[in-house]
């Protein structure tokens, strides 16, 4: 399984993501995984590349099926919004809750694939937690936090 960090060509960039894991690592409570290639169209919960998104989402399904005692929090993040708002505008809801609705989209997909709702929660963090030194587009992300193993 290719790791998230395999796409980065510089040591500097890899260093910025040093606190993140992949599903192929031995995970413990508190570990975070960035879901790469899970890209959304601007201000929407529609995937830019649905086929790539499904590949990434299936990695979560496989991991959770192989680790039935693990629980997760699905965390949505956004960037590039003015300081007057804590979250980006979702054109579907008409509210400034885009990070939440993107996290919920992942949550809903996992439920459709048979993952029990009591093993997951989801939350939108808006622009509160940018990746220090990370590029702007990487802050439009969904992360998985391991909450119980």
């Amino acid at each position: 399984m290719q790791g998230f960090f395999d796409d980065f060509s510089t040591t500097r960039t890899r260093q910025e993501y040093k606190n993140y894991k992949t599903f192929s690592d031995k995970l413990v409570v508190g570990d975070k995984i960035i879901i790469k290639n899970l890209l959304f169209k601007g201000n929407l919960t529609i995937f830019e590349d649905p086929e790539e998104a499904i590949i990434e989402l299936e990695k979560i399904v496989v991991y959770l099926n192989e680790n039935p005692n693990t629980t997760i929090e699905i965390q949505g993040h956004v960037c590039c919004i003015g300081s007057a708002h804590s979250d980006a505008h979702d054109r579907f809801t008409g509210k400034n809750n885009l990070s939440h609705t993107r996290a919920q989209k992942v949550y809903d997909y996992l439920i459709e694939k048979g993952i029990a709702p009591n093993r997951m929660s989801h939350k939108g963090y808006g622009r509160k937690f940018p990746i220090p030194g990370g590029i702007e587009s990487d802050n439009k992300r969904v992360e998985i936090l391991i909450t119980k193993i």
Side-chain angles (χ1 to χ4, degrees):
M1 181 183 305
Q2 182 177 1
F4 182 78
F5 313 105
D6 296 341
D7 291 343
F8 300 121
S9 59
T10 67
T11 304
R12 180 182 165 276
T13 304
R14 288 182 189 177
Q15 187 67 16
E16 291 161 356
Y17 297 89
K18 68 181 179 190
N19 295 324
Y20 289 95
K21 303 285 179 112
T22 68
F23 286 114
S24 60
D25 292 324
K26 176 147 176 62
L27 298 173
V28 298
V29 171
D31 282 342
K32 285 188 178 184
I33 301 103
I34 295 179
I35 307 305
K36 75 172 197 165
N37 297 327
L38 191 65
L39 305 174
F40 295 90
K41 292 183 179 186
N43 296 97
L44 295 169
T45 56
I46 298 171
F47 298 122
E48 280 187 12
D49 184 340
E51 290 178 8
E52 276 296 320
I54 297 302
I55 290 169
E56 296 304 316
L57 292 170
E58 285 300 315
K59 291 177 186 177
I60 306 169
V61 172
V62 168
Y63 176 79
L64 291 173
N65 283 334
E66 290 175 351
N67 297 277
N69 295 320
T70 298
T71 62
I72 62 171
E73 178 181 82
I74 303 159
Q75 302 179 339
H77 301 271
V78 297
C79 80
C80 319
I81 56 176
S83 60
H85 301 287
S86 62
D87 207 339
H89 183 77
D90 182 331
R91 287 193 283 171
F92 285 143
T93 67
K95 299 177 184 175
N96 291 331
N97 67 346
L98 186 61
S99 67
H100 170 79
T101 55
R102 287 178 174 176
Q104 184 168 353
K105 177 149 183 144
V106 173
Y107 175 86
D108 291 344
Y109 177 87
L110 296 175
I111 287 175
E112 287 175 21
K113 292 298 184 174
I115 304 301
N118 66 347
R119 295 184 60 202
M120 304 178 290
S121 63
H122 63 285
K123 185 170 182 179
Y125 286 95
R127 61 183 184 91
K128 290 181 185 177
F129 302 108
I131 296 171
I135 61 173
E136 190 173 279
S137 62
D138 284 349
N139 285 307
K140 300 174 185 177
R141 67 193 192 279
V142 174
E143 298 178 355
I144 302 299
L145 171 66
I146 304 297
T147 56
K148 179 183 172 194
I149 293 198

